[in-house]
Amino acid sequence: MSNKVLQLQKGADRRLKQGHLWIYSNEVDSVNGGLKQFQPGEQVAVVSNSGKSLGTAFVNPNTLICARLISRSTTQFMDKSLIVHRLKIALSLRQQAFEKPFYRLVFGDSDGLSGLVIDRFGDTCVAQISTFGMELLKAELIEAIEKVIKPATLIFRNDGKMREVEGLESYTETVIGEEVESVQLEENGVLFSAPVLKGQKTGWFYDHRMNRARLAPYVKGKRVLDIFSYIGGWGIQAAAFGAESVTCIDASDYALSYVEENARLNGVTDKVKCIQGDAFAVCRELRDIREKFDVVIVDPPAFIPRRRDIKAGEQAYQRINQLAMRLLEKDGVLVSASCSMHLQRDRLTDIIRSTGRQTDRFVQIIEQGHQGADHPIVPAIPETEYLKACFARVLPSF
């Protein structure tokens, strides 16, 4: 480990003292060499402007978030032993919250493993590394996962957008077991096949598990539209929960082939229909031919990936929710979700409110949800709270 010290500017330790783990490049004191003295991924001690110890951190001098705290101790650095310890702590929460081994095992900073995500699919684990510091510890990480989880298969989907920011190459690699294109999982009693090699992120999104469970009372005997369906996480569960029919929309033929496979897995093929195409365009076409549904689910990709995208992103959420509302029957349920950290929960509610007025509908918020226990929120790190789901009953205007 490095003997170098990262010193902060005066007052720049305030967020760290409150519980946050990130240090920004403009918070570093440049008097003692600043960030130029460090190599990407180096582990160093962090001190306040007055020299008080704040802990240890991974450093990357080339990024806006230039350091991520590892420990509040000055002597504890990230190694195999610490990874094993934190994996065991993470595992204990998931085993307490979920009966079966299908969950996000590691959620980055929330589990003390900044730059690492691991999703577990039974005896298969799919990991993503997004920081230089964690990439340098890949060998130790593999050994730690083997020791704690003993997976038959371990895949690295190291192809996320953050890697480019960190100066890392993208690649996909199977490091334990034989390469598999897909895995099976169970969520809320429903079976799925997920494309871990070529699908989005790790192939599946566990974060909406609790929100998808909330669908059950609203979909029985109903006509359901699942917009941005991906591989049918919402739609197939709606069919399994007793929906009369489910229409899934996605731009990807590859994703929709998994919708069809997942319909077969659950014996609901006769209920499920797929439409390939741009979600906005397909919704406009359905509106023009006066199609109506009892339940419409809107779970788009992050329309606001960066703070500077807030205005354009909010407009996109407004447009798709308005289209969804126009496709609802007179007494329908809109499930509106967002995975954009930069879209605040009350802003999503306000978009639904204003959309109701634009379409001359009376809106009742009946349930709200957020990410499950395998995506724990650290109160001092607002970035760890990103997921929102709003269930709204939409009626004719009073």
Side-chain angles (χ1 to χ4, degrees):
M1 304 304 161
S2 174
N3 292 320
K4 298 174 190 172
V5 174
L6 179 71
Q7 184 170 334
L8 303 186
Q9 292 183 16
K10 188 175 182 179
D13 57 348
R14 187 172 64 249
R15 274 184 312 102
L16 296 184
K17 287 179 177 178
Q18 291 172 345
H20 212 299
L21 301 175
W22 298 354
I23 298 166
Y24 289 90
S25 56
N26 62 0
E27 295 175 326
V28 175
D29 192 335
S30 58
V31 174
N32 298 316
L35 287 168
K36 294 178 183 177
Q37 61 181 310
F38 302 114
Q39 295 299 313
E42 211 171 341
Q43 298 188 44
V44 301
V46 181
V47 299
S48 69
N49 191 255
S50 63
K52 183 180 178 182
S53 174
L54 298 170
T56 55
F58 288 125
V59 175
N60 190 335
N62 305 318
T63 55
L64 177 62
I65 303 171
C66 67
R68 298 165 185 267
L69 226 59
I70 294 165
S71 171
R72 302 282 172 176
S73 164
T74 55
T75 58
Q76 191 170 55
F77 292 90
M78 191 66 75
D79 57 14
K80 179 187 169 183
S81 176
L82 186 56
I83 296 171
V84 166
H85 177 62
R86 292 191 175 166
L87 279 177
K88 286 180 177 177
I89 293 172
L91 179 62
S92 68
L93 168 62
R94 278 69 178 180
Q95 289 179 329
Q96 184 178 9
F98 307 110
E99 290 183 5
K100 297 185 178 181
F102 305 109
Y103 40 67
R104 173 148 292 183
L105 173 62
V106 172
F107 182 45
D109 292 293
S110 294
D111 289 300
L113 292 163
S114 190
L116 177 66
V117 161
I118 304 175
D119 281 345
R120 185 177 186 183
F121 306 95
D123 61 1
T124 296
C125 286
V126 182
Q128 283 195 312
I129 293 173
S130 60
T131 59
F132 221 112
M134 197 58 76
E135 181 74 18
L136 294 181
L137 288 169
K138 183 178 164 189
E140 291 88 341
L141 176 60
I142 293 168
E143 291 177 9
I145 293 170
E146 276 195 287
K147 182 172 182 177
V148 177
I149 306 298
K150 301 178 180 64
T153 306
L154 174 58
I155 299 165
F156 279 98
R157 279 291 304 271
N158 288 338
D159 52 4
K161 293 177 182 176
M162 272 297 297
R163 289 182 66 87
E164 187 177 343
V165 174
E166 287 274 320
L168 293 165
E169 292 182 356
S170 290
Y171 64 90
T172 297
E173 181 184 17
T174 301
V175 295
I176 297 175
E178 294 184 7
E179 184 172 282
V180 292
E181 184 174 334
S182 62
V183 295
Q184 282 213 356
L185 66 115
E186 182 181 326
E187 182 178 285
N188 301 322
V190 183
L191 300 175
F192 288 92
S193 177
V196 290
L197 283 187
K198 298 178 183 177
Q200 295 178 21
K201 302 292 181 71
T202 64
W204 179 254
F205 297 93
Y206 280 121
D207 49 7
H208 269 305
R209 178 200 316 253
M210 312 309 288
N211 301 320
R212 289 191 281 250
R214 293 171 186 268
L215 275 177
Y218 303 110
V219 298
K220 195 167 185 179
K222 305 293 187 181
R223 296 185 70 221
V224 177
L225 178 65
D226 181 8
I227 307 171
F228 304 102
S229 71
Y230 182 44
I231 64 172
W234 293 88
I236 298 300
Q237 290 193 50
F241 295 158
E244 177 190 299
S245 68
V246 176
T247 301
C248 292
I249 301 171
D250 201 88
S252 167
D253 272 329
Y254 181 71
L256 291 176
S257 71
Y258 274 86
V259 172
E260 292 168 352
E261 168 63 17
N262 291 326
R264 283 193 294 272
L265 275 176
N266 293 280
V268 293
T269 300
D270 58 329
K271 294 182 178 183
V272 177
K273 170 187 173 184
C274 294
I275 303 177
Q276 188 273 328
D278 173 77
F280 290 88
V282 173
C283 285
R284 284 192 292 267
E285 290 167 9
L286 292 172
R287 177 201 62 193
D288 292 345
I289 61 173
R290 301 187 183 278
E291 277 277 14
K292 294 289 182 180
F293 301 87
D294 303 298
V295 179
V296 177
I297 301 155
V298 180
D299 182 19
F303 285 154
I304 313 177
R306 296 156 299 187
R307 192 177 296 276
R308 67 187 183 203
D309 301 316
I310 287 176
K311 185 177 179 182
E314 287 187 352
Q315 290 173 348
Y317 282 110
Q318 186 92 39
R319 287 200 310 275
I320 197 62
N321 277 280
Q322 185 178 121
L323 284 165
M325 214 171 272
R326 291 190 186 283
L327 291 168
L328 278 171
E329 290 284 6
K330 289 183 179 179
D331 183 358
V333 172
L334 170 68
V335 181
S336 183
S338 167
C339 61
S340 293
M341 185 267 292
H342 295 295
L343 183 73
Q344 300 301 313
R345 183 175 294 274
D346 59 355
R347 188 69 189 99
L348 176 61
T349 305
D350 196 52
I351 285 171
I352 293 168
R353 174 203 61 78
S354 62
T355 301
R357 293 313 311 132
Q358 289 167 358
T359 55
D360 195 28
R361 306 293 288 271
F362 181 74
V363 175
Q364 299 170 318
I365 304 294
I366 50 178
E367 293 199 41
Q368 294 196 63
H370 54 79
Q371 61 224 58
D374 51 351
H375 292 70
I377 295 162
V378 179
I381 308 178
E383 293 85 359
T384 60
E385 182 175 10
Y386 68 97
L387 200 74
K388 298 151 285 279
C390 189
F391 286 61
R393 187 186 187 198
V394 182
L395 297 158
S397 184
F398 282 9

